[in-house]
Structures are given as structure tokens and as C-alpha cells.
Amino acid sequence: MQFPADDNGQMLQAMVDAGMDLTKSMDIDFFLVFDERSDAESVLEDLTAKNDSADLELQFNEEVEKWEIIACYHMVPDYDAILAKETELNSFAGEFDGMTDGWGVMQHQDGDDFAGDDDEHECDEHCHH
């Protein structure tokens, strides 16, 4: 697979390199950040009212010292679809003095075929993990 030479393309390539199947739908987390809790709460209310298909979570991210909404969409990790969703969310967050702060996935998702998933191995003194 060939991806554009930008952050999204690099992330998708890293997913392929990790053995993830990009033809299957998976949970993709998009991060929206806000300085003010009230702005983040307004966005959360609006996204909920839109009956958006995302699972939404609001938290304070101590690392960046901002309020963060994690919007999780179950979708195929297609470059154009991710770019479109990121652009849509960034525009929406901007109306509330916020912005998107990237996206990510959990490496191991339902249906992934990773070696060792069913391994009943128990470590002992000879283990080299």
C-alpha cells in the first residue's frame, strides 16, 4: 500500500507495518482539545444531539493541560475517510475555540490476527520475553 507523505499516511503505514488489516472496520479515536471545559461540554452536547455515531468521552488531559473529547468512530481506516472526518471535526471544534489533535487506534482490536493470541505459554526461568 502507498500512502501520502503526511502524518495520516505515516500513521496508516505504521498500522500496516504492525500487521493491522486496513480493509476491516475498526475503532478510530479522534481527539478534540479545548482550553475551557465549558467549550468542550458544549461540543459534547452538540455531538450527542446530532445523534452522531461516535462514542464520546470527555476528560482533562494533564499532559497538554487541555480538556479533551475522544470521539470514537467505527470505520474502515481509509486515508480519504480519515482526512474528511478530521477536517469535519476540526471545523466543528473551531466554532467552540477548539481544534483536533490527531487520531489513533488501539493496535489490538477484535478480529485482528496476531501471532500468539491463543498461546497458552506460561513464562518460567527459561523465558526470553
Side-chain angles (χ1 to χ4, degrees):
M1 291 186 148
Q2 197 74 328
F3 300 105
D6 61 12
D7 289 341
N8 289 337
Q10 290 174 4
M11 177 69 107
L12 290 167
Q13 186 60 56
M15 291 167 63
V16 168
D17 294 345
M20 298 180 82
D21 183 350
L22 302 191
T23 65
K24 295 181 180 176
S25 291
M26 60 182 68
D27 292 334
I28 301 178
D29 297 329
F30 292 86
F31 303 93
L32 293 78
V33 294
F34 305 86
D35 289 326
E36 301 297 326
R37 180 182 184 139
S38 60
D39 292 331
E41 288 174 339
S42 294
V43 168
L44 190 64
E45 286 177 26
D46 281 11
L47 286 174
T48 301
K50 282 176 50 177
N51 199 17
D52 201 347
S53 63
D55 289 327
L56 304 169
E57 179 183 340
L58 174 64
Q59 65 184 18
F60 185 74
N61 184 327
E62 292 182 13
E63 187 176 313
V64 295
E65 297 183 354
K66 293 186 183 282
W67 288 94
E68 176 178 74
I69 293 176
I70 303 170
C72 179
Y73 292 87
H74 193 74
M75 59 190 284
V76 173
D78 171 75
Y79 178 87
D80 291 330
I82 288 172
L83 184 61
K85 181 57 71 178
E86 199 170 34
T87 300
E88 171 193 338
L89 290 171
N90 192 57
S91 189
F92 184 68
E95 295 174 23
F96 297 87
D97 297 323
M99 63 183 209
T100 55
D101 191 27
W103 59 273
V105 299
M106 296 296 294
Q107 184 170 347
H108 187 93
Q109 298 206 15
D110 290 341
D112 284 347
D113 190 24
F114 285 93
D117 276 355
D118 298 323
D119 189 15
E120 297 295 327
H121 172 76
E122 290 187 28
C123 293
D124 60 20
E125 69 271 8
H126 303 291
C127 197
H128 298 289
H129 290 141

